[in-house]
Amino acid sequence: MFVNVSDEVGRVEMLQRMLRYISFAKNEIGLRANVSGIYDLGTELAVRNYQASRGLSVTGIADLETWEMIRDEYEAERTLREPVYIKPIPDYTDYETPRGERSDIVVILQAMLNTLKYHYDFPTVTISGVYTPSTAEAIRIFQSANGLDATGNADRMTWRRLADEFNSFYGE
């Protein structure tokens, strides 16, 4: 199997996810490619960095040898870590994490946003435990991208969608 510009989006996304996972697991920043499904310059650079650091021919194309090495390393790293599942906030109809709140739940919210920011177009949110304006802006962007009312407030439906998406990307 070869992965390059002409391949289907799913394979490119899988390559990008595996490289990102390895990059975080081994703290190799040069392997971080945005997960977009597009074999862009950032993906090519991540593949080149991977190939160079693993003694492979540096082509920037995920040929069969590169793909299999990335897949095997990804699987090996995954078996070392227990998955983290985030459970959504209870189903209180009117639940909302209010702006300005200071709590551990806001830390979880901010950590999920920072993890998912690579899939959305919002900046890093400082993990402070305080529901800041930058937290609200990241929530607004997430809501807009997911067909929710873009209020910037972390209501029950936003929490559920955040938890579901976080788990689908990182909980496996």
PDB file of all heavy atoms in Angstrom, residues 3 11 23-24 41 69 97 103 108 113 119 144 161 166-167 171:
ATOM      1  N   VAL A   3       0.972   5.511   0.161  1.00  0.00           N
ATOM      2  CA  VAL A   3       0.182   6.667   0.561  1.00  0.00           C
ATOM      3  C   VAL A   3       0.855   7.897  -0.005  1.00  0.00           C
ATOM      4  O   VAL A   3       1.997   8.196   0.303  1.00  0.00           O
ATOM      5  CB  VAL A   3       0.076   6.782   2.096  1.00  0.00           C
ATOM      6  CG1 VAL A   3      -0.664   8.033   2.479  1.00  0.00           C
ATOM      7  CG2 VAL A   3      -0.620   5.561   2.654  1.00  0.00           C
ATOM      8  N   ARG A  11      -6.980   6.793   4.117  1.00  0.00           N
ATOM      9  CA  ARG A  11      -5.606   6.297   4.335  1.00  0.00           C
ATOM     10  C   ARG A  11      -4.681   7.426   4.758  1.00  0.00           C
ATOM     11  O   ARG A  11      -3.812   7.237   5.596  1.00  0.00           O
ATOM     12  CB  ARG A  11      -5.078   5.633   3.075  1.00  0.00           C
ATOM     13  CG  ARG A  11      -5.584   4.241   2.925  1.00  0.00           C
ATOM     14  CD  ARG A  11      -4.797   3.502   1.880  1.00  0.00           C
ATOM     15  NE  ARG A  11      -5.765   3.015   0.903  1.00  0.00           N
ATOM     16  CZ  ARG A  11      -5.511   2.771  -0.340  1.00  0.00           C
ATOM     17  NH1 ARG A  11      -4.319   2.961  -0.823  1.00  0.00           N
ATOM     18  NH2 ARG A  11      -6.442   2.321  -1.131  1.00  0.00           N
ATOM     19  N   SER A  23       4.339  10.766  17.572  1.00  0.00           N
ATOM     20  CA  SER A  23       5.017  12.013  17.944  1.00  0.00           C
ATOM     21  C   SER A  23       4.767  12.372  19.403  1.00  0.00           C
ATOM     22  O   SER A  23       5.671  12.807  20.100  1.00  0.00           O
ATOM     23  CB  SER A  23       4.603  13.164  17.032  1.00  0.00           C
ATOM     24  OG  SER A  23       3.339  13.677  17.362  1.00  0.00           O
ATOM     25  N   PHE A  24       3.524  12.203  19.859  1.00  0.00           N
ATOM     26  CA  PHE A  24       3.225  12.505  21.254  1.00  0.00           C
ATOM     27  C   PHE A  24       3.785  11.436  22.182  1.00  0.00           C
ATOM     28  O   PHE A  24       4.310  11.752  23.247  1.00  0.00           O
ATOM     29  CB  PHE A  24       1.714  12.671  21.463  1.00  0.00           C
ATOM     30  CG  PHE A  24       1.187  13.970  20.926  1.00  0.00           C
ATOM     31  CD1 PHE A  24       0.395  13.995  19.797  1.00  0.00           C
ATOM     32  CD2 PHE A  24       1.501  15.174  21.536  1.00  0.00           C
ATOM     33  CE1 PHE A  24      -0.091  15.191  19.289  1.00  0.00           C
ATOM     34  CE2 PHE A  24       1.028  16.374  21.038  1.00  0.00           C
ATOM     35  CZ  PHE A  24       0.233  16.381  19.909  1.00  0.00           C
ATOM     36  N   LEU A  41       2.155  19.450   2.477  1.00  0.00           N
ATOM     37  CA  LEU A  41       3.573  19.625   2.747  1.00  0.00           C
ATOM     38  C   LEU A  41       3.931  19.236   4.186  1.00  0.00           C
ATOM     39  O   LEU A  41       4.980  18.642   4.429  1.00  0.00           O
ATOM     40  CB  LEU A  41       3.978  21.085   2.478  1.00  0.00           C
ATOM     41  CG  LEU A  41       5.458  21.387   2.428  1.00  0.00           C
ATOM     42  CD1 LEU A  41       6.169  20.514   1.393  1.00  0.00           C
ATOM     43  CD2 LEU A  41       5.673  22.855   2.102  1.00  0.00           C
ATOM     44  N   MET A  69       6.336   0.224   8.867  1.00  0.00           N
ATOM     45  CA  MET A  69       7.123   0.578  10.056  1.00  0.00           C
ATOM     46  C   MET A  69       6.321   1.545  10.937  1.00  0.00           C
ATOM     47  O   MET A  69       6.295   1.396  12.168  1.00  0.00           O
ATOM     48  CB  MET A  69       8.465   1.194   9.659  1.00  0.00           C
ATOM     49  CG  MET A  69       9.377   1.417  10.857  1.00  0.00           C
ATOM     50  SD  MET A  69      11.003   2.061  10.400  1.00  0.00           S
ATOM     51  CE  MET A  69      11.799   0.538   9.929  1.00  0.00           C
ATOM     52  N   THR A  97     -21.436  24.561  31.752  1.00  0.00           N
ATOM     53  CA  THR A  97     -20.261  25.016  32.487  1.00  0.00           C
ATOM     54  C   THR A  97     -20.149  26.514  32.205  1.00  0.00           C
ATOM     55  O   THR A  97     -19.908  26.904  31.061  1.00  0.00           O
ATOM     56  CB  THR A  97     -18.989  24.290  31.999  1.00  0.00           C
ATOM     57  OG1 THR A  97     -19.188  22.880  32.126  1.00  0.00           O
ATOM     58  CG2 THR A  97     -17.780  24.697  32.825  1.00  0.00           C
ATOM     59  N   SER A 103     -12.668  25.325  38.104  1.00  0.00           N
ATOM     60  CA  SER A 103     -12.892  23.979  38.615  1.00  0.00           C
ATOM     61  C   SER A 103     -12.065  22.969  37.834  1.00  0.00           C
ATOM     62  O   SER A 103     -11.505  23.276  36.786  1.00  0.00           O
ATOM     63  CB  SER A 103     -14.379  23.610  38.507  1.00  0.00           C
ATOM     64  OG  SER A 103     -14.741  23.498  37.148  1.00  0.00           O
ATOM     65  N   ILE A 108     -10.485  19.633  32.480  1.00  0.00           N
ATOM     66  CA  ILE A 108     -10.780  18.542  31.548  1.00  0.00           C
ATOM     67  C   ILE A 108     -11.245  19.112  30.211  1.00  0.00           C
ATOM     68  O   ILE A 108     -10.796  18.685  29.145  1.00  0.00           O
ATOM     69  CB  ILE A 108     -11.831  17.584  32.146  1.00  0.00           C
ATOM     70  CG1 ILE A 108     -11.243  16.860  33.354  1.00  0.00           C
ATOM     71  CG2 ILE A 108     -12.343  16.601  31.107  1.00  0.00           C
ATOM     72  CD1 ILE A 108     -12.248  16.109  34.192  1.00  0.00           C
ATOM     73  N   LEU A 113     -10.033  20.262  24.540  1.00  0.00           N
ATOM     74  CA  LEU A 113      -9.929  21.248  23.464  1.00  0.00           C
ATOM     75  C   LEU A 113      -8.519  21.280  22.894  1.00  0.00           C
ATOM     76  O   LEU A 113      -8.337  21.330  21.674  1.00  0.00           O
ATOM     77  CB  LEU A 113     -10.329  22.635  23.975  1.00  0.00           C
ATOM     78  CG  LEU A 113     -11.814  22.844  24.229  1.00  0.00           C
ATOM     79  CD1 LEU A 113     -12.046  24.139  25.000  1.00  0.00           C
ATOM     80  CD2 LEU A 113     -12.600  22.842  22.931  1.00  0.00           C
ATOM     81  N   HIS A 119      -7.635  19.284  14.937  1.00  0.00           N
ATOM     82  CA  HIS A 119      -8.688  18.947  13.983  1.00  0.00           C
ATOM     83  C   HIS A 119      -9.550  20.161  13.661  1.00  0.00           C
ATOM     84  O   HIS A 119     -10.399  20.096  12.794  1.00  0.00           O
ATOM     85  CB  HIS A 119      -9.570  17.825  14.535  1.00  0.00           C
ATOM     86  CG  HIS A 119      -8.782  16.633  14.957  1.00  0.00           C
ATOM     87  ND1 HIS A 119      -8.305  15.716  14.056  1.00  0.00           N
ATOM     88  CD2 HIS A 119      -8.354  16.230  16.181  1.00  0.00           C
ATOM     89  CE1 HIS A 119      -7.626  14.779  14.717  1.00  0.00           C
ATOM     90  NE2 HIS A 119      -7.639  15.073  15.988  1.00  0.00           N
ATOM     91  N   SER A 144     -19.594  25.441  16.173  1.00  0.00           N
ATOM     92  CA  SER A 144     -19.907  25.815  14.797  1.00  0.00           C
ATOM     93  C   SER A 144     -19.560  24.694  13.826  1.00  0.00           C
ATOM     94  O   SER A 144     -20.337  24.365  12.927  1.00  0.00           O
ATOM     95  CB  SER A 144     -19.154  27.098  14.434  1.00  0.00           C
ATOM     96  OG  SER A 144     -19.421  27.466  13.112  1.00  0.00           O
ATOM     97  N   ARG A 161     -20.742  16.022  22.604  1.00  0.00           N
ATOM     98  CA  ARG A 161     -20.051  15.974  21.319  1.00  0.00           C
ATOM     99  C   ARG A 161     -18.531  15.993  21.525  1.00  0.00           C
ATOM    100  O   ARG A 161     -17.809  15.266  20.855  1.00  0.00           O
ATOM    101  CB  ARG A 161     -20.506  17.155  20.462  1.00  0.00           C
ATOM    102  CG  ARG A 161     -20.014  17.146  19.043  1.00  0.00           C
ATOM    103  CD  ARG A 161     -20.619  16.029  18.184  1.00  0.00           C
ATOM    104  NE  ARG A 161     -22.053  16.021  18.149  1.00  0.00           N
ATOM    105  CZ  ARG A 161     -22.806  16.666  17.263  1.00  0.00           C
ATOM    106  NH1 ARG A 161     -22.248  17.358  16.311  1.00  0.00           N
ATOM    107  NH2 ARG A 161     -24.115  16.603  17.338  1.00  0.00           N
ATOM    108  N   PHE A 166     -13.534  13.220  21.254  1.00  0.00           N
ATOM    109  CA  PHE A 166     -12.263  12.895  21.909  1.00  0.00           C
ATOM    110  C   PHE A 166     -12.075  11.394  21.976  1.00  0.00           C
ATOM    111  O   PHE A 166     -11.023  10.866  21.624  1.00  0.00           O
ATOM    112  CB  PHE A 166     -12.237  13.502  23.315  1.00  0.00           C
ATOM    113  CG  PHE A 166     -10.973  13.205  24.068  1.00  0.00           C
ATOM    114  CD1 PHE A 166      -9.863  14.032  23.951  1.00  0.00           C
ATOM    115  CD2 PHE A 166     -10.869  12.077  24.882  1.00  0.00           C
ATOM    116  CE1 PHE A 166      -8.691  13.751  24.633  1.00  0.00           C
ATOM    117  CE2 PHE A 166      -9.700  11.788  25.555  1.00  0.00           C
ATOM    118  CZ  PHE A 166      -8.607  12.627  25.433  1.00  0.00           C
ATOM    119  N   ASN A 167     -13.113  10.679  22.394  1.00  0.00           N
ATOM    120  CA  ASN A 167     -13.025   9.218  22.511  1.00  0.00           C
ATOM    121  C   ASN A 167     -12.824   8.558  21.156  1.00  0.00           C
ATOM    122  O   ASN A 167     -12.084   7.581  21.049  1.00  0.00           O
ATOM    123  CB  ASN A 167     -14.270   8.666  23.200  1.00  0.00           C
ATOM    124  CG  ASN A 167     -14.329   9.032  24.659  1.00  0.00           C
ATOM    125  OD1 ASN A 167     -13.314   9.293  25.288  1.00  0.00           O
ATOM    126  ND2 ASN A 167     -15.530   9.078  25.203  1.00  0.00           N
ATOM    127  N   GLY A 171      -9.523   7.534  22.298  1.00  0.00           N
ATOM    128  CA  GLY A 171      -9.878   6.507  23.259  1.00  0.00           C
ATOM    129  C   GLY A 171      -9.819   5.102  22.699  1.00  0.00           C
ATOM    130  O   GLY A 171      -9.558   4.176  23.405  1.00  0.00           O
TER     131      GLY A 171
END
